[in-house]
Coordinates of all heavy atoms in Angstrom, one line a residue:
M723 N 0.8 -1.1 0.0 CA 0.0 0.0 0.0 C 0.9 1.2 0.0 O 2.0 1.2 0.7 CB -0.9 0.0 1.3 CG -1.9 1.2 1.3 SD -3.1 1.0 2.6 CE -2.2 1.7 3.9
T724 N 0.4 2.2 -0.6 CA 1.2 3.4 -0.7 C 0.7 4.5 0.3 O -0.4 4.5 0.7 CB 1.2 4.1 -2.1 OG1 1.8 5.2 -2.1 CG2 -0.4 4.3 -2.5
D725 N 1.5 5.4 0.7 CA 1.1 6.4 1.7 C 0.5 7.6 0.9 O 0.1 8.6 1.6 CB 2.3 6.9 2.5 CG 2.8 5.7 3.4 OD1 1.9 4.8 3.8 OD2 3.9 5.7 3.7
T726 N 0.4 7.6 -0.3 CA -0.2 8.9 -1.0 C -1.5 8.5 -1.5 O -1.8 7.4 -1.8 CB 0.7 9.2 -2.2 OG1 0.8 8.2 -3.0 CG2 2.1 9.6 -1.7
W727 N -2.3 9.6 -1.6 CA -3.7 9.4 -2.0 C -3.7 9.8 -3.5 O -3.0 10.7 -3.9 CB -4.5 10.3 -1.3 CG -6.0 10.1 -1.5 CD1 -6.9 9.3 -0.9 CD2 -6.9 10.7 -2.5 NE1 -8.1 9.3 -1.5 CE2 -8.1 10.3 -2.5 CE3 -6.5 11.8 -3.4 CZ2 -9.2 10.7 -3.3 CZ3 -7.6 12.3 -4.3 CH2 -8.9 11.7 -4.2
P728 N -4.5 9.2 -4.4 CA -5.4 8.3 -4.1 C -4.7 6.8 -4.3 O -3.8 6.8 -5.1 CB -6.5 8.4 -5.3 CG -5.7 9.0 -6.3 CD -4.6 9.9 -5.7
Y729 N -5.2 5.9 -3.8 CA -4.7 4.5 -3.9 C -6.0 3.6 -3.7 O -6.9 4.0 -3.3 CB -3.7 4.1 -2.8 CG -4.1 4.3 -1.3 CD1 -4.7 3.3 -0.7 CD2 -4.0 5.5 -0.6 CE1 -5.2 3.4 0.5 CE2 -4.4 5.6 0.7 CZ -5.0 4.5 1.2 OH -5.4 4.7 2.5
L730 N -5.7 2.4 -4.2 CA -6.7 1.5 -4.1 C -6.4 0.2 -3.2 O -5.3 -0.3 -3.3 CB -7.0 0.9 -5.6 CG -8.1 -0.2 -5.7 CD1 -9.4 0.5 -5.3 CD2 -8.1 -0.7 -7.1
E731 N -7.1 0.1 -2.1 CA -6.9 -1.0 -1.3 C -7.1 -2.4 -2.0 O -7.9 -2.4 -3.0 CB -7.8 -1.1 0.0 CG -7.6 0.2 1.0 CD -6.6 -0.2 1.9 OE1 -6.1 -1.2 1.9 OE2 -6.0 0.8 2.4
V732 N -6.3 -3.4 -1.8 CA -6.5 -4.6 -2.3 C -7.9 -5.1 -2.1 O -8.4 -5.0 -0.9 CB -5.5 -5.6 -1.7 CG1 -5.7 -7.1 -2.3 CG2 -4.1 -5.2 -2.0
H733 N -8.7 -5.5 -3.0 CA -10.0 -6.1 -3.0 C -10.9 -4.9 -2.5 O -12.0 -5.2 -2.0 CB -10.1 -7.3 -2.0 CG -9.1 -8.3 -2.4 ND1 -9.1 -9.0 -3.6 CD2 -8.2 -8.8 -1.5 CE1 -8.2 -9.8 -3.4 NE2 -7.5 -9.8 -2.4
Q734 N -10.6 -3.6 -2.8 CA -11.5 -2.6 -2.3 C -12.9 -2.7 -3.0 O -13.9 -2.3 -2.2 CB -10.8 -1.3 -2.7 CG -11.5 0.0 -2.2 CD -10.8 1.2 -2.3 OE1 -9.6 1.1 -2.6 NE2 -11.4 2.3 -2.3
R735 N -13.0 -3.1 -4.2 CA -14.2 -3.1 -4.9 C -14.9 -4.4 -4.7 O -16.1 -4.7 -5.2 CB -13.9 -2.9 -6.4 CG -13.6 -1.4 -6.7 CD -13.6 -1.2 -8.1 NE -14.9 -1.5 -8.7 CZ -15.3 -1.2 -9.9 NH1 -14.4 -0.7 -10.7 NH2 -16.6 -1.6 -10.4
R736 N -14.4 -5.4 -4.1 CA -14.8 -6.7 -4.0 C -16.1 -6.6 -3.1 O -16.0 -6.1 -2.0 CB -14.0 -7.7 -3.5 CG -14.4 -9.1 -3.4 CD -13.4 -10.2 -3.2 NE -12.4 -9.9 -2.3 CZ -11.5 -10.9 -2.1 NH1 -11.6 -12.1 -2.4 NH2 -10.5 -10.6 -1.3
T737 N -17.2 -7.3 -3.5 CA -18.4 -7.3 -2.6 C -18.7 -8.7 -2.1 O -19.6 -8.8 -1.3 CB -19.6 -6.8 -3.5 OG1 -19.7 -7.7 -4.7 CG2 -19.5 -5.5 -4.0
H738 N -17.9 -9.7 -2.6 CA -18.0 -11.1 -2.1 C -16.7 -11.8 -2.3 O -15.8 -11.4 -3.1 CB -19.2 -11.7 -2.8 CG -19.0 -11.9 -4.3 ND1 -19.1 -10.8 -5.1 CD2 -18.5 -12.8 -5.1 CE1 -19.0 -11.2 -6.4 NE2 -18.4 -12.4 -6.3
E739 N -16.6 -13.0 -1.8 CA -15.4 -13.8 -2.0 C -15.6 -14.4 -3.5 O -16.6 -14.6 -3.9 CB -15.4 -15.0 -1.1 CG -15.0 -14.7 0.4 CD -13.6 -14.0 0.4 OE1 -12.7 -14.5 -0.2 OE2 -13.4 -13.0 1.1
P740 N -14.5 -14.4 -4.1 CA -14.5 -14.9 -5.6 C -15.1 -16.3 -5.6 O -14.8 -17.2 -4.8 CB -13.1 -14.9 -6.1 CG -12.5 -13.9 -5.1 CD -13.1 -14.0 -3.8
T741 N -15.9 -16.5 -6.6 CA -16.6 -17.8 -6.8 C -15.5 -18.7 -7.5 O -14.5 -18.2 -8.2 CB -17.7 -17.7 -7.8 OG1 -17.3 -17.2 -9.0 CG2 -18.8 -16.7 -7.2
P742 N -15.8 -20.0 -7.7 CA -14.9 -20.9 -8.5 C -14.7 -20.5 -9.9 O -13.7 -20.5 -10.5 CB -15.5 -22.2 -8.3 CG -16.2 -22.2 -7.1 CD -16.7 -20.9 -6.9
Y743 N -15.8 -20.0 -10.5 CA -15.8 -19.4 -11.9 C -14.9 -18.2 -11.8 O -14.0 -18.1 -12.9 CB -17.2 -19.1 -12.3 CG -17.2 -18.0 -13.4 CD1 -17.1 -18.4 -14.6 CD2 -17.7 -16.7 -13.1 CE1 -17.0 -17.5 -15.7 CE2 -17.6 -15.7 -14.1 CZ -17.3 -16.2 -15.4 OH -17.3 -15.2 -16.4
E744 N -14.9 -17.3 -10.9 CA -14.1 -16.0 -11.0 C -12.6 -16.5 -10.8 O -11.7 -15.9 -11.5 CB -14.6 -15.0 -9.9 CG -15.9 -14.5 -10.2 CD -16.6 -13.8 -9.1 OE1 -16.1 -13.9 -7.9 OE2 -17.6 -13.1 -9.4
F745 N -12.4 -17.5 -10.0 CA -11.0 -17.9 -9.8 C -10.5 -18.4 -11.0 O -9.2 -18.1 -11.5 CB -10.8 -18.9 -8.6 CG -10.6 -18.3 -7.3 CD1 -11.6 -18.6 -6.2 CD2 -9.6 -17.4 -6.9 CE1 -11.5 -18.2 -5.0 CE2 -9.5 -16.9 -5.7 CZ -10.5 -17.3 -4.8
K746 N -11.3 -19.3 -11.8 CA -10.8 -20.0 -13.0 C -10.6 -18.8 -14.1 O -9.5 -18.9 -14.8 CB -11.8 -21.0 -13.4 CG -11.4 -21.8 -14.6 CD -12.4 -22.8 -15.0 CE -12.0 -23.6 -16.2 NZ -12.8 -24.6 -16.6
L747 N -11.5 -17.9 -14.2 CA -11.3 -16.9 -15.1 C -10.1 -16.2 -14.9 O -9.4 -15.8 -15.9 CB -12.7 -16.0 -15.2 CG -12.6 -14.8 -16.1 CD1 -12.5 -15.3 -17.6 CD2 -13.9 -14.0 -15.9
A748 N -9.8 -15.8 -13.6 CA -8.7 -14.9 -13.3 C -7.4 -15.6 -13.6 O -6.6 -15.1 -14.2 CB -8.7 -14.5 -11.8
A749 N -7.4 -16.9 -13.3 CA -6.1 -17.6 -13.5 C -5.9 -17.8 -15.0 O -4.8 -17.7 -15.5 CB -6.2 -19.0 -12.8
T750 N -7.0 -18.1 -15.8 CA -6.8 -18.3 -17.2 C -6.4 -17.0 -17.9 O -5.6 -16.9 -18.8 CB -8.1 -18.8 -17.8 OG1 -8.5 -20.0 -17.1 CG2 -8.0 -19.1 -19.3
L751 N -7.0 -15.8 -17.4 CA -6.6 -14.5 -17.9 C -5.1 -14.2 -17.8 O -4.5 -13.7 -18.7 CB -7.5 -13.4 -17.3 CG -8.8 -13.3 -17.8 CD1 -9.6 -12.3 -17.1 CD2 -8.9 -13.0 -19.3
E752 N -4.6 -14.6 -16.6 CA -3.1 -14.5 -16.3 C -2.3 -15.2 -17.3 O -1.3 -14.8 -17.9 CB -2.8 -14.9 -14.9 CG -3.2 -14.0 -13.8 CD -2.8 -14.3 -12.5 OE1 -1.7 -15.0 -12.3 OE2 -3.4 -14.1 -11.5
E753 N -2.7 -16.4 -17.6 CA -2.0 -17.3 -18.7 C -2.2 -16.6 -20.0 O -1.2 -16.6 -20.7 CB -2.7 -18.7 -18.6 CG -2.0 -19.7 -19.6 CD -2.5 -21.0 -19.6 OE1 -3.1 -21.5 -18.5 OE2 -2.5 -21.7 -20.7
V754 N -3.4 -16.2 -20.4 CA -3.6 -15.6 -21.7 C -2.6 -14.3 -21.8 O -2.1 -14.1 -22.9 CB -5.0 -15.3 -21.9 CG1 -5.3 -14.4 -23.2 CG2 -5.9 -16.7 -22.1
F755 N -2.8 -13.5 -20.8 CA -1.9 -12.3 -20.8 C -0.4 -12.6 -21.1 O 0.3 -11.9 -21.8 CB -2.0 -11.4 -19.8 CG -3.4 -10.9 -19.5 CD1 -3.7 -10.5 -18.2 CD2 -4.2 -10.5 -20.6 CE1 -5.1 -10.0 -17.9 CE2 -5.5 -9.9 -20.3 CZ -5.9 -9.6 -19.1
T756 N 0.0 -13.6 -20.5 CA 1.5 -14.1 -20.5 C 1.8 -14.6 -21.9 O 2.8 -14.4 -22.6 CB 1.8 -15.1 -19.5 OG1 1.5 -14.5 -18.2 CG2 3.2 -15.5 -19.5
V757 N 1.0 -15.5 -22.5 CA 1.2 -16.2 -23.7 C 0.7 -15.4 -24.9 O 1.5 -15.3 -26.0 CB 0.6 -17.5 -23.7 CG1 0.8 -18.3 -25.0 CG2 1.1 -18.4 -22.5
E758 N -0.5 -15.0 -24.9 CA -1.1 -14.4 -26.2 C -1.0 -12.8 -26.3 O -0.8 -12.3 -27.4 CB -2.6 -14.8 -26.3 CG -2.9 -15.9 -27.1 CD -2.8 -17.2 -26.1 OE1 -2.7 -17.0 -24.9 OE2 -2.7 -18.3 -26.7
G759 N -1.1 -12.2 -25.1 CA -1.1 -10.8 -25.2 C -2.2 -10.2 -24.5 O -3.0 -10.8 -23.8
H760 N -2.3 -8.8 -24.6 CA -3.3 -8.0 -23.9 C -4.4 -7.5 -24.7 O -5.3 -6.9 -24.3 CB -2.6 -6.9 -23.1 CG -1.7 -7.4 -22.0 ND1 -0.3 -7.1 -22.1 CD2 -1.9 -8.0 -20.9 CE1 0.3 -7.7 -21.1 NE2 -0.7 -8.2 -20.4
E761 N -4.2 -7.6 -25.9 CA -5.2 -7.0 -26.9 C -6.6 -7.8 -26.8 O -6.7 -9.0 -26.5 CB -4.8 -7.0 -28.3 CG -3.7 -6.3 -28.6 CD -3.9 -4.7 -28.5 OE1 -5.1 -4.3 -28.8 OE2 -3.0 -4.1 -28.0
L762 N -7.7 -7.1 -26.8 CA -9.0 -7.8 -26.6 C -9.2 -9.0 -27.5 O -9.6 -10.0 -27.1 CB -10.1 -6.8 -26.8 CG -11.6 -7.3 -26.6 CD1 -11.7 -7.7 -25.1 CD2 -12.5 -6.1 -26.8
T763 N -8.8 -8.9 -28.8 CA -9.0 -10.0 -29.6 C -8.2 -11.2 -29.1 O -8.6 -12.4 -29.3 CB -8.6 -9.7 -31.1 OG1 -7.3 -9.1 -31.1 CG2 -9.6 -8.7 -31.7
D764 N -6.9 -10.9 -28.7 CA -6.1 -12.1 -28.2 C -6.6 -12.7 -26.9 O -6.6 -13.8 -26.7 CB -4.7 -11.6 -27.8 CG -4.0 -10.8 -29.0 OD1 -4.2 -11.4 -30.2 OD2 -3.2 -9.9 -28.8
V765 N -7.2 -11.8 -26.0 CA -7.8 -12.3 -24.8 C -9.0 -13.2 -25.1 O -9.0 -14.4 -24.6 CB -8.1 -11.2 -23.9 CG1 -9.0 -11.8 -22.7 CG2 -6.9 -10.5 -23.5
V766 N -9.9 -12.7 -25.9 CA -11.1 -13.6 -26.3 C -10.7 -14.8 -27.0 O -11.2 -16.0 -26.6 CB -12.0 -12.7 -27.2 CG1 -13.1 -13.5 -27.8 CG2 -12.7 -11.6 -26.5
R767 N -9.8 -14.8 -28.0 CA -9.3 -16.0 -28.5 C -8.7 -17.0 -27.6 O -8.9 -18.2 -27.6 CB -8.3 -15.7 -29.7 CG -7.9 -16.9 -30.5 CD -6.9 -16.6 -31.7 NE -5.8 -15.7 -31.3 CZ -5.6 -14.5 -31.5 NH1 -6.5 -13.9 -32.2 NH2 -4.5 -13.8 -31.1
G768 N -7.8 -16.5 -26.7 CA -7.1 -17.3 -25.7 C -8.1 -17.9 -24.8 O -8.0 -19.1 -24.4
L769 N -9.1 -17.3 -24.2 CA -10.1 -17.9 -23.4 C -11.0 -19.0 -24.2 O -11.1 -20.1 -23.5 CB -11.1 -16.8 -22.9 CG -10.6 -15.9 -21.9 CD1 -11.6 -14.6 -21.6 CD2 -10.2 -16.5 -20.6
N770 N -11.3 -18.7 -25.4 CA -11.9 -19.7 -26.2 C -11.2 -20.9 -26.4 O -11.6 -22.1 -26.3 CB -12.5 -19.1 -27.4 CG -13.7 -18.1 -27.1 OD1 -14.5 -18.3 -26.1 ND2 -13.8 -17.1 -28.0
E771 N -9.9 -20.7 -26.8 CA -9.0 -21.9 -27.1 C -8.8 -22.8 -25.8 O -8.7 -23.9 -26.0 CB -7.6 -21.3 -27.5 CG -7.5 -20.8 -29.0 CD -6.4 -20.2 -29.4 OE1 -5.3 -20.1 -28.5 OE2 -6.2 -19.8 -30.6
R772 N -8.9 -22.2 -24.7 CA -8.7 -22.9 -23.4 C -10.1 -23.5 -22.9 O -10.2 -24.1 -21.8 CB -8.2 -22.0 -22.4 CG -6.6 -21.9 -22.7 CD -6.0 -20.7 -21.9 NE -4.6 -20.5 -22.2 CZ -4.1 -19.9 -23.2 NH1 -4.9 -19.4 -24.2 NH2 -2.8 -19.8 -23.4
Q773 N -11.1 -23.2 -23.7 CA -12.4 -23.6 -23.4 C -13.0 -23.0 -22.0 O -13.6 -23.8 -21.3 CB -12.6 -25.1 -23.4 CG -12.3 -25.6 -24.9 CD -12.5 -27.1 -25.0 OE1 -13.0 -27.8 -24.1 NE2 -12.3 -27.6 -26.2
V774 N -12.6 -21.8 -21.7 CA -13.1 -21.2 -20.5 C -14.2 -20.2 -21.1 O -13.8 -19.2 -21.6 CB -12.0 -20.3 -19.7 CG1 -12.6 -19.6 -18.6 CG2 -11.0 -21.3 -19.3
H775 N -15.4 -20.7 -21.1 CA -16.5 -20.0 -21.8 C -17.1 -18.9 -20.9 O -17.0 -18.9 -19.7 CB -17.4 -20.9 -22.4 CG -16.9 -21.8 -23.3 ND1 -16.4 -21.3 -24.5 CD2 -16.7 -23.2 -23.4 CE1 -15.8 -22.3 -25.2 NE2 -16.1 -23.4 -24.5
A776 N -18.0 -18.2 -21.5 CA -18.8 -17.1 -20.7 C -19.8 -17.8 -19.9 O -20.0 -19.0 -19.9 CB -19.7 -16.2 -21.8
P777 N -20.3 -17.1 -19.0 CA -21.3 -17.7 -18.0 C -22.4 -18.5 -18.6 O -22.8 -19.5 -17.9 CB -21.7 -16.5 -17.1 CG -20.7 -15.4 -17.3 CD -20.1 -15.8 -18.6
D778 N -22.9 -18.1 -19.7 CA -24.0 -18.9 -20.4 C -23.4 -20.1 -21.1 O -24.2 -20.8 -21.8 CB -24.8 -18.0 -21.3 CG -23.9 -17.5 -22.5 OD1 -22.7 -17.9 -22.6 OD2 -24.4 -16.7 -23.3
G779 N -22.1 -20.3 -21.0 CA -21.6 -21.6 -21.7 C -21.1 -21.4 -23.0 O -20.5 -22.3 -23.6
R780 N -21.4 -20.3 -23.6 CA -21.0 -20.0 -24.9 C -19.7 -19.5 -25.1 O -19.1 -18.9 -24.1 CB -22.0 -19.0 -25.6 CG -23.4 -19.5 -25.7 CD -24.4 -18.5 -26.3 NE -25.7 -19.0 -26.5 CZ -26.7 -18.4 -26.8 NH1 -26.5 -17.1 -27.2 NH2 -28.0 -18.8 -26.8
P781 N -19.1 -19.6 -26.3 CA -17.7 -19.0 -26.5 C -17.8 -17.5 -26.3 O -18.9 -16.8 -26.5 CB -17.3 -19.3 -27.8 CG -18.2 -20.6 -28.3 CD -19.5 -20.4 -27.4
W782 N -16.7 -16.9 -25.8 CA -16.6 -15.4 -25.7 C -16.7 -14.7 -27.1 O -16.1 -15.2 -28.0 CB -15.4 -15.0 -24.9 CG -15.2 -15.5 -23.6 CD1 -14.6 -16.5 -23.0 CD2 -16.0 -14.9 -22.4 NE1 -14.7 -16.6 -21.7 CE2 -15.6 -15.7 -21.3 CE3 -16.8 -13.9 -22.1 CZ2 -16.1 -15.4 -20.0 CZ3 -17.2 -13.4 -20.9 CH2 -16.9 -14.3 -19.8
T783 N -17.2 -13.5 -27.0 CA -17.0 -12.6 -28.0 C -16.5 -11.3 -27.4 O -16.5 -11.2 -26.0 CB -18.5 -12.1 -28.7 OG1 -19.2 -11.4 -27.8 CG2 -19.2 -13.4 -29.2
E784 N -16.0 -10.3 -28.1 CA -15.5 -9.1 -27.6 C -16.6 -8.4 -26.6 O -16.3 -7.9 -25.6 CB -15.0 -8.2 -28.7 CG -13.7 -8.8 -29.3 CD -13.1 -7.8 -30.3 OE1 -13.5 -6.6 -30.4 OE2 -12.1 -8.2 -31.0
Q785 N -17.8 -8.5 -27.1 CA -19.0 -7.8 -26.4 C -19.3 -8.5 -25.1 O -19.5 -7.8 -24.1 CB -20.2 -7.7 -27.3 CG -20.0 -6.8 -28.5 CD -19.1 -7.4 -29.8 OE1 -19.1 -8.7 -29.7 NE2 -18.5 -6.5 -30.5
T786 N -19.3 -9.9 -25.2 CA -19.7 -10.6 -24.0 C -18.6 -10.5 -23.0 O -18.9 -10.3 -21.9 CB -19.9 -12.1 -24.3 OG1 -19.0 -12.7 -24.9 CG2 -21.3 -12.2 -25.0
F787 N -17.4 -10.4 -23.4 CA -16.3 -10.4 -22.5 C -16.1 -9.0 -21.7 O -16.1 -8.9 -20.5 CB -14.8 -10.7 -23.1 CG -13.7 -10.6 -22.2 CD1 -13.4 -11.6 -21.3 CD2 -12.9 -9.5 -22.3 CE1 -12.4 -11.5 -20.4 CE2 -11.8 -9.4 -21.3 CZ -11.6 -10.3 -20.4
T788 N -16.4 -8.0 -22.5 CA -16.3 -6.5 -21.8 C -17.5 -6.4 -21.0 O -17.5 -5.8 -19.8 CB -16.3 -5.5 -22.9 OG1 -17.3 -5.6 -23.9 CG2 -14.9 -5.6 -23.7
A789 N -18.7 -7.0 -21.4 CA -19.9 -6.9 -20.5 C -19.8 -7.6 -19.2 O -20.0 -7.2 -18.2 CB -21.1 -7.5 -21.2
E790 N -19.0 -8.9 -19.3 CA -18.8 -9.6 -18.1 C -17.8 -8.8 -17.1 O -17.9 -8.8 -15.9 CB -18.2 -10.9 -18.5 CG -17.9 -11.9 -17.3 CD -19.2 -12.3 -16.4 OE1 -20.3 -11.8 -16.8 OE2 -19.0 -13.0 -15.5
L791 N -16.8 -8.2 -17.7 CA -15.8 -7.6 -16.9 C -16.5 -6.3 -16.1 O -16.3 -6.1 -15.0 CB -14.7 -7.0 -17.6 CG -13.6 -8.1 -18.1 CD1 -12.4 -7.4 -18.8 CD2 -13.2 -8.8 -17.1
D792 N -17.4 -5.7 -16.9 CA -18.2 -4.6 -16.3 C -19.1 -5.2 -15.1 O -19.2 -4.6 -14.1 CB -19.1 -4.0 -17.3 CG -18.4 -3.0 -18.3 OD1 -17.2 -2.6 -18.0 OD2 -19.0 -2.7 -19.3
R793 N -19.7 -6.3 -15.4 CA -20.6 -6.9 -14.4 C -19.7 -7.3 -13.1 O -20.2 -7.1 -12.0 CB -21.2 -8.3 -14.9 CG -22.2 -8.8 -13.9 CD -22.9 -10.2 -14.5 NE -21.8 -11.3 -14.3 CZ -21.5 -12.0 -13.2 NH1 -22.0 -11.5 -12.1 NH2 -20.6 -12.8 -13.2
L794 N -18.6 -7.8 -13.3 CA -17.7 -8.3 -12.3 C -17.0 -7.0 -11.6 O -16.4 -7.2 -10.4 CB -16.6 -9.2 -12.7 CG -17.1 -10.6 -13.2 CD1 -16.0 -11.3 -13.7 CD2 -17.6 -11.3 -12.0
G795 N -17.1 -5.9 -12.2 CA -16.4 -4.7 -11.6 C -15.0 -4.6 -11.8 O -14.2 -4.0 -11.0
A796 N -14.5 -5.3 -12.8 CA -13.1 -5.4 -13.1 C -12.6 -4.3 -14.0 O -13.3 -3.7 -14.8 CB -12.8 -6.8 -13.8

């Protein structure tokens, strides 16, 4: 933590403990960022290649991924 303002406390935005789905998504995103990159198209492709699908079970699209991040507050 930093002594200067503004700063974000770890888990400041969290409203609940992460679910198994959220843990899996986070771990897979770390892998995708490391291997494929940070561009939205790379992230969506990486998640789909690893068969970590959207909450409705369908493959990710750029729209569903950004909507899910908004929903999760990420």
Side-chain angles (χ1 to χ4, degrees):
M723 182 170 85
T724 179
D725 292 332
T726 60
W727 187 89
Y729 59 88
L730 184 65
E731 293 280 344
V732 176
H733 309 298
Q734 187 171 348
R735 291 192 54 174
R736 182 167 37 174
T737 59
H738 62 278
E739 288 297 315
T741 64
Y743 158 76
E744 292 168 347
F745 276 122
K746 183 176 183 178
L747 180 60
T750 306
L751 283 172
E752 286 184 31
E753 181 181 330
V754 170
F755 291 155
T756 301
V757 177
E758 270 83 15
H760 296 113
E761 296 298 322
L762 183 56
T763 55
D764 298 330
V765 172
V766 169
R767 183 178 53 253
L769 288 170
N770 288 331
E771 287 174 355
R772 289 164 177 79
Q773 298 185 3
V774 177
H775 297 301
D778 64 3
R780 295 181 182 176
W782 291 103
T783 65
E784 291 182 11
Q785 293 77 22
T786 58
F787 181 72
T788 56
E790 181 65 357
L791 289 186
D792 286 341
R793 185 188 75 79
L794 293 171

